[in-house]
PDB file of all heavy atoms in Angstrom:
ATOM      1  N   ILE A 133      94.811  95.701  92.821  1.00 98.00           N
ATOM      2  CA  ILE A 133      94.426  95.395  91.507  1.00 98.00           C
ATOM      3  C   ILE A 133      93.227  94.390  91.558  1.00 98.00           C
ATOM      4  O   ILE A 133      92.192  94.602  90.731  1.00 98.00           O
ATOM      5  CB  ILE A 133      95.642  94.511  90.787  1.00 98.00           C
ATOM      6  CG1 ILE A 133      96.658  95.706  90.451  1.00 98.00           C
ATOM      7  CG2 ILE A 133      95.182  93.828  89.536  1.00 98.00           C
ATOM      8  CD1 ILE A 133      97.949  95.048  89.872  1.00 98.00           C
ATOM      9  N   LEU A 460      94.630  98.468  83.891  1.00 98.00           N
ATOM     10  CA  LEU A 460      94.919  97.531  84.879  1.00 98.00           C
ATOM     11  C   LEU A 460      95.756  96.357  84.510  1.00 98.00           C
ATOM     12  O   LEU A 460      96.693  95.953  85.267  1.00 98.00           O
ATOM     13  CB  LEU A 460      93.607  97.124  85.316  1.00 98.00           C
ATOM     14  CG  LEU A 460      93.532  96.514  86.862  1.00 98.00           C
ATOM     15  CD1 LEU A 460      93.957  97.498  87.861  1.00 98.00           C
ATOM     16  CD2 LEU A 460      92.096  95.992  87.312  1.00 98.00           C
ATOM     17  N   ASP A 461      95.583  95.925  83.283  1.00 98.00           N
ATOM     18  CA  ASP A 461      96.366  94.789  82.750  1.00 98.00           C
ATOM     19  C   ASP A 461      97.857  95.274  82.633  1.00 98.00           C
ATOM     20  O   ASP A 461      98.718  94.551  83.082  1.00 98.00           O
ATOM     21  CB  ASP A 461      95.864  94.400  81.367  1.00 98.00           C
ATOM     22  CG  ASP A 461      94.696  93.598  81.375  1.00 98.00           C
ATOM     23  OD1 ASP A 461      94.383  93.098  82.578  1.00 98.00           O
ATOM     24  OD2 ASP A 461      94.126  93.335  80.278  1.00 98.00           O
ATOM     25  N   ALA A 462      98.037  96.469  82.070  1.00 98.00           N
ATOM     26  CA  ALA A 462      99.444  96.976  82.060  1.00 98.00           C
ATOM     27  C   ALA A 462     100.033  96.992  83.402  1.00 98.00           C
ATOM     28  O   ALA A 462     101.208  96.621  83.587  1.00 98.00           O
ATOM     29  CB  ALA A 462      99.392  98.450  81.399  1.00 98.00           C
ATOM     30  N   HIS A 463      99.407  97.464  84.523  1.00 98.00           N
ATOM     31  CA  HIS A 463      99.804  97.586  85.792  1.00 98.00           C
ATOM     32  C   HIS A 463     100.214  96.188  86.318  1.00 98.00           C
ATOM     33  O   HIS A 463     101.258  95.924  86.865  1.00 98.00           O
ATOM     34  CB  HIS A 463      98.779  98.144  86.737  1.00 98.00           C
ATOM     35  CG  HIS A 463      98.865  99.615  86.966  1.00 98.00           C
ATOM     36  ND1 HIS A 463      99.856 100.273  87.483  1.00 98.00           N
ATOM     37  CD2 HIS A 463      97.960 100.674  86.682  1.00 98.00           C
ATOM     38  CE1 HIS A 463      99.710 101.585  87.619  1.00 98.00           C
ATOM     39  NE2 HIS A 463      98.603 101.803  87.028  1.00 98.00           N
ATOM     40  N   GLU A 464      99.200  95.213  85.925  1.00 98.00           N
ATOM     41  CA  GLU A 464      99.376  93.843  86.461  1.00 98.00           C
ATOM     42  C   GLU A 464     100.645  93.194  85.894  1.00 98.00           C
ATOM     43  O   GLU A 464     101.509  92.526  86.535  1.00 98.00           O
ATOM     44  CB  GLU A 464      98.205  92.988  86.156  1.00 98.00           C
ATOM     45  CG  GLU A 464      98.162  91.824  86.973  1.00 98.00           C
ATOM     46  CD  GLU A 464      96.787  91.086  87.013  1.00 98.00           C
ATOM     47  OE1 GLU A 464      95.997  91.445  86.152  1.00 98.00           O
ATOM     48  OE2 GLU A 464      96.501  90.300  87.938  1.00 98.00           O
ATOM     49  N   GLN A 465     100.801  93.444  84.463  1.00 98.00           N
ATOM     50  CA  GLN A 465     102.110  92.843  83.924  1.00 98.00           C
ATOM     51  C   GLN A 465     103.355  93.487  84.499  1.00 98.00           C
ATOM     52  O   GLN A 465     104.303  92.829  84.702  1.00 98.00           O
ATOM     53  CB  GLN A 465     102.084  93.307  82.402  1.00 98.00           C
ATOM     54  CG  GLN A 465     101.156  92.293  81.643  1.00 98.00           C
ATOM     55  CD  GLN A 465     100.813  92.749  80.203  1.00 98.00           C
ATOM     56  OE1 GLN A 465     101.621  93.528  79.631  1.00 98.00           O
ATOM     57  NE2 GLN A 465      99.772  92.340  79.684  1.00 98.00           N
ATOM     58  N   GLY A 466     103.240  94.795  84.774  1.00 98.00           N
ATOM     59  CA  GLY A 466     104.585  95.503  85.421  1.00 98.00           C
ATOM     60  C   GLY A 466     104.763  94.874  86.740  1.00 98.00           C
ATOM     61  O   GLY A 466     105.819  94.612  87.035  1.00 98.00           O
ATOM     62  N   LEU A 467     103.660  94.648  87.452  1.00 98.00           N
ATOM     63  CA  LEU A 467     103.977  94.043  88.766  1.00 98.00           C
ATOM     64  C   LEU A 467     104.448  92.630  88.702  1.00 98.00           C
ATOM     65  O   LEU A 467     105.416  92.302  89.368  1.00 98.00           O
ATOM     66  CB  LEU A 467     102.526  93.968  89.567  1.00 98.00           C
ATOM     67  CG  LEU A 467     102.579  93.193  90.821  1.00 98.00           C
ATOM     68  CD1 LEU A 467     103.376  93.857  91.891  1.00 98.00           C
ATOM     69  CD2 LEU A 467     101.105  93.156  91.500  1.00 98.00           C
ATOM     70  N   VAL A 468     103.935  91.937  87.692  1.00 98.00           N
ATOM     71  CA  VAL A 468     104.393  90.468  87.542  1.00 98.00           C
ATOM     72  C   VAL A 468     105.952  90.607  87.143  1.00 98.00           C
ATOM     73  O   VAL A 468     106.899  89.878  87.662  1.00 98.00           O
ATOM     74  CB  VAL A 468     103.721  89.755  86.335  1.00 98.00           C
ATOM     75  CG1 VAL A 468     104.497  88.576  86.010  1.00 98.00           C
ATOM     76  CG2 VAL A 468     102.260  89.472  87.042  1.00 98.00           C
ATOM     77  N   ALA A 469     106.253  91.433  86.382  1.00 98.00           N
ATOM     78  CA  ALA A 469     107.618  91.577  85.847  1.00 98.00           C
ATOM     79  C   ALA A 469     108.592  91.965  87.042  1.00 98.00           C
ATOM     80  O   ALA A 469     109.664  91.591  87.193  1.00 98.00           O
ATOM     81  CB  ALA A 469     107.903  92.713  84.816  1.00 98.00           C
ATOM     82  N   ARG A 470     108.049  92.984  87.950  1.00 98.00           N
ATOM     83  CA  ARG A 470     108.898  93.303  89.048  1.00 98.00           C
ATOM     84  C   ARG A 470     109.090  92.183  90.012  1.00 98.00           C
ATOM     85  O   ARG A 470     110.142  91.940  90.615  1.00 98.00           O
ATOM     86  CB  ARG A 470     108.159  94.520  89.773  1.00 98.00           C
ATOM     87  CG  ARG A 470     108.801  95.757  89.109  1.00 98.00           C
ATOM     88  CD  ARG A 470     108.019  97.139  89.770  1.00 98.00           C
ATOM     89  NE  ARG A 470     106.562  97.138  89.451  1.00 98.00           N
ATOM     90  CZ  ARG A 470     105.637  97.452  90.353  1.00 98.00           C
ATOM     91  NH1 ARG A 470     105.974  97.594  91.557  1.00 98.00           N
ATOM     92  NH2 ARG A 470     104.369  97.531  89.853  1.00 98.00           N
TER      93      ARG A 470
END
Side-chain angles (χ1 to χ4, degrees):
I133 287 171
L460 202 58
D461 279 351
H463 269 295
E464 200 166 17
Q465 277 167 29
L467 175 60
V468 168
R470 276 179 284 138

